[in-house]
Amino acid sequence: MDNADIARTLDAYAALLDLAGAGHWSVRAYRRAADLVRATPAPVAELVRSGRVRELRGIGSGIEARLRELVTTGRIAELEQLEREVEPELVALGRYLGIGPQRLVALGRALGIRTADELRAAAEAGRLREAPGVGPATEAKVLEALARGREPARRGLTRNRALALASQLAEATDATVAGELRRGCELVHRVALVSGARGALDRFAAHPAVVALLERDETRAAGVTVEGIPVELVAAPPERFGTELLRSTGAAAYVAALGPLPDAPTEEETYAALGLPWLPPELRESPFRGEPPHLVEVADIRGDLHCHTTWSDGKASVLEMATAARDRGYEYLAICDHTPNVRVVPGLDADLLRRQAEEIAAANEQLAPFRVLRGTECDIRADGSLDLPDDVLAELEWVQLSLHAGQRLPESELTARVTEAMRHPAVRCLSHPRGRILNHRPPNALRIDRVLEVALETGVALETNGLPDRLDLRDEEVRLAVEAGVPVVCSTDAHSVQGLDNMRLCVTTARRGRATAVDVLNTRPLAEILRR
Ligand SMILES: [Zn+2]
Ligand SMILES: [Zn+2]
């Protein structure tokens, strides 16, 4: 049994645990173990036999026991039992169709249905109402949901989760990621892939992440993940690969406006045949006219201006974060831990900030010429004042302003509170201005037009935050800032070393807002940023 076989079994086990309603943590532990096994160069079966598998980080005693069973018997008994019990395809379909998974499983049991095709056939034949508790309304709902087929799911995946899913599928099918994910949409409702490889459709249909297959013909397969997220693979012959990639990437309105697409092996050639310059995928939401702007790139970013450490709710020390930032090729990093008013996590008052300064000075000595900046993510208090005394604010090199409470205040009150705080002379940047959490909390009522006016007056920059469930400012608001001439900052708000990698997410958001490197403050050298 090689590492790929073991990883595949662990993935299937994780998916079934998820379907069976196991806790989030155990599902995640098995998913991580699968990734770990896949990435381990040594044969994991050998490590299991010699009792050394726990040396791999993230393999605990529970997972070790399952691995031993798998390596010695070739199977995991509980996995087989789960396969008999949970009917993954029906649970996934339930989530996808917006019908309670338990309900759909009960219905499937009553009628002997196990697949999407059988469900469709039964619904079309009017057989669903033979099941207890199913009336014409449910039957109509199932039919309508199945017919909707190609429409996006209501809730979307955040970009990092969509990227993880898509790269797994893309690797298995030698495919290129297209669709919303390639366009950089903040939530992904459908994962779309294009592959020119032989047998890609078969590999896609057999992949453990594709729990239920909804459609399949010679050119395309579509299915659903455990979470009910639609996934789709288009098989394109090499001579038409560029055409299909272009078609699968753009939003419907954008693609339709191009007219009939000529056949070409690459996207560049397809555009050339249309007589158009290649357009960055982030701009393919709606019909585009004119010359594409030269959008900002991750490589243009010289430093990250918002991150946390163990001084507040971060997981790494000042030195660890700074070293990781330097290793990513940056020239500077601003440490912006919370202030006391935030309450739910530890906050730093003036004394603690001055003690942190010593640690920052030591890191600077060690990492020079790299620069660690003394910063803060300073809360706006209920009365509109800043959560630190003026003397310590004046010592800091980078002050992020943040509203963490009062998210539901009425528009005028909220806008007044934020714009008043922006006028404080120490403030350099407004963090996550709309305070939204994707899939969870709507944006606040802040008037962006007023904020832009005050930003122009005061020189305060606006952040587009890289946390995958924030991405705030969002794309359209970045565009307003760019048009107004207000500098945008792409920062990750990292709470760990890995969090620094989310720079690609906020840069993508800035690109969707048509920002060029000139529009993004942290593409500039430090001297220009500190000069105000
Ligand atoms: Zn914050
Ligand atoms: Zn923060």
Side-chain angles (χ1 to χ4, degrees):
M1 189 168 278
D2 66 17
N3 288 5
D5 295 329
I6 295 174
R8 213 173 306 122
T9 310
L10 290 177
D11 267 334
Y13 190 59
L16 286 168
L17 281 176
D18 190 0
L19 289 169
H24 173 70
W25 291 107
S26 57
V27 173
R28 213 169 82 155
Y30 279 97
R31 291 227 164 97
R32 284 205 173 153
D35 290 341
L36 191 66
V37 167
R38 219 173 264 118
T40 302
V44 169
E46 284 308 311
L47 295 178
V48 172
R49 281 192 206 100
S50 60
R52 288 177 46 216
V53 75
R54 298 271 300 271
E55 287 168 23
L56 299 177
R57 253 176 88 180
I59 304 280
S61 60
I63 297 178
E64 185 189 18
R66 295 273 182 274
L67 283 173
R68 205 177 306 119
E69 183 189 357
L70 179 62
V71 168
T72 50
T73 68
R75 53 194 277 266
I76 296 178
E78 199 193 325
L79 185 140
E80 292 175 5
Q81 192 189 335
L82 281 170
E83 274 172 343
R84 281 193 299 275
E85 281 172 6
V86 298
E87 313 221 21
E89 189 157 344
L90 291 180
V91 177
L93 273 174
R95 287 177 179 167
Y96 170 67
L97 298 175
I99 298 171
Q102 305 312 329
R103 198 151 168 231
L104 204 60
V105 169
L107 193 149
R109 287 235 170 92
L111 298 175
I113 288 169
R114 295 200 62 152
T115 68
D117 280 346
E118 288 166 7
L119 183 70
R120 195 192 311 266
E124 281 167 358
R127 278 187 52 226
L128 290 191
R129 52 189 103 163
E130 290 168 19
V134 175
T138 306
E139 195 166 84
K141 193 173 173 192
V142 169
L143 275 172
E144 187 225 294
L146 284 168
R148 242 187 4 233
R150 300 200 62 158
E151 259 178 49
R154 271 148 293 204
R155 278 167 73 95
L157 290 178
T158 53
R159 287 182 50 77
N160 270 357
R161 295 187 57 207
L163 274 166
L165 169 65
S167 31
Q168 227 189 80
L169 288 167
E171 196 185 319
T173 57
D174 298 311
T176 301
V177 174
E180 292 167 311
L181 191 50
R182 184 159 179 243
R183 296 204 302 277
C185 297
E186 59 193 31
L187 286 175
V188 175
H189 302 88
R190 166 183 291 272
V191 169
L193 305 160
V194 181
S195 176
R198 231 170 243 284
L201 287 171
D202 290 333
R203 279 180 268 152
F204 176 83
H207 196 281
V210 184
V211 179
L213 203 63
L214 296 174
E215 291 170 46
R216 163 90 199 250
D217 59 27
E218 299 79 58
T219 59
R220 179 177 168 274
V224 186
T225 68
V226 166
E227 289 147 314
I229 299 291
V231 288
E232 165 185 276
L233 178 84
V234 171
E239 67 276 13
R240 227 180 41 235
F241 181 83
T243 316
E244 295 305 331
L245 184 59
L246 201 165
R247 198 194 316 277
S248 294
T249 298
Y254 171 78
V255 176
L258 294 175
L261 297 182
D263 287 355
T266 68
E267 216 179 52
E268 286 79 359
E269 289 163 283
T270 316
Y271 273 108
L274 285 165
L276 294 171
W278 182 85
L279 188 68
E282 291 91 341
L283 302 184
R284 303 187 203 167
E285 276 316 319
S286 49
F288 187 93
R289 265 175 223 94
E291 203 51 36
H294 192 83
L295 302 177
V296 61
E297 291 171 20
V298 172
D300 297 326
I301 301 292
R302 292 191 191 226
D304 198 328
L305 290 171
H306 182 174
C307 80
H308 295 265
T309 71
T310 44
W311 284 82
S312 64
D313 56 344
K315 292 195 180 70
S317 68
V318 168
L319 184 62
E320 286 166 335
M321 292 301 283
T323 307
R326 185 199 59 179
D327 293 348
R328 278 161 177 73
Y330 293 150
E331 296 164 21
Y332 48 87
L333 174 75
I335 304 294
C336 297
D337 280 310
H338 290 290
T339 56
N341 188 63
V342 72
R343 287 195 190 93
V344 287
V345 299
L348 279 65
D349 59 12
D351 278 356
L352 285 169
L353 266 170
R354 285 180 177 128
R355 275 174 50 198
Q356 188 186 48
E358 295 164 23
E359 203 171 311
I360 290 176
N364 271 321
E365 210 159 289
Q366 199 172 327
L367 301 175
F370 182 85
R371 276 292 310 281
V372 192
L373 304 182
R374 280 187 71 195
T376 177
E377 177 172 8
C378 186
D379 254 54
I380 307 174
R381 290 206 201 108
D383 65 0
S385 65
L386 268 60
D387 198 24
L388 286 170
D390 284 351
D391 61 340
V392 74
L393 282 169
E395 288 171 16
L396 298 175
E397 294 163 294
W398 186 256
V399 174
Q400 290 273 148
L401 184 66
S402 283
L403 190 78
H404 288 116
Q407 180 69 11
R408 274 185 235 136
L409 284 174
E411 182 185 275
S412 58
E413 207 177 315
L414 179 76
T415 305
R417 191 186 289 186
V418 171
T419 50
E420 196 47 46
M422 285 169 75
R423 293 184 192 280
H424 190 288
V427 172
R428 299 302 311 276
C429 182
L430 178 63
S431 321
H432 45 68
R434 301 301 297 275
R436 68 170 185 176
I437 306 288
L438 289 168
N439 281 334
H440 190 67
R441 187 205 285 160
N444 62 33
L446 192 65
R447 274 188 58 180
I448 290 293
D449 57 342
R450 283 292 299 138
V451 169
L452 291 174
E453 282 170 30
V454 177
L456 277 179
E457 266 173 55
T458 56
V460 170
L462 300 184
E463 176 183 81
T464 178
N465 185 291
L467 289 173
D469 56 1
R470 282 200 185 267
L471 304 181
D472 171 14
L473 297 176
R474 59 168 302 176
D475 46 16
E476 285 162 18
E477 294 160 343
V478 169
R479 190 165 172 190
L480 293 176
V482 167
E483 285 170 0
V486 169
V488 169
V489 171
C490 291
S491 287
T492 61
D493 200 353
H495 286 65
S496 66
V497 163
Q498 296 89 314
L500 292 168
D501 293 332
N502 288 331
M503 186 59 81
R504 62 183 175 175
L505 303 187
C506 47
V507 167
T508 296
T509 303
R511 289 168 62 86
R512 287 175 60 85
R514 303 202 181 181
T516 65
V518 175
D519 303 313
V520 178
L521 191 67
N522 51 327
T523 62
R524 302 185 198 166
L526 184 60
E528 269 181 55
I529 287 177
L530 294 183
R531 197 189 316 133
R532 25 185 341 184

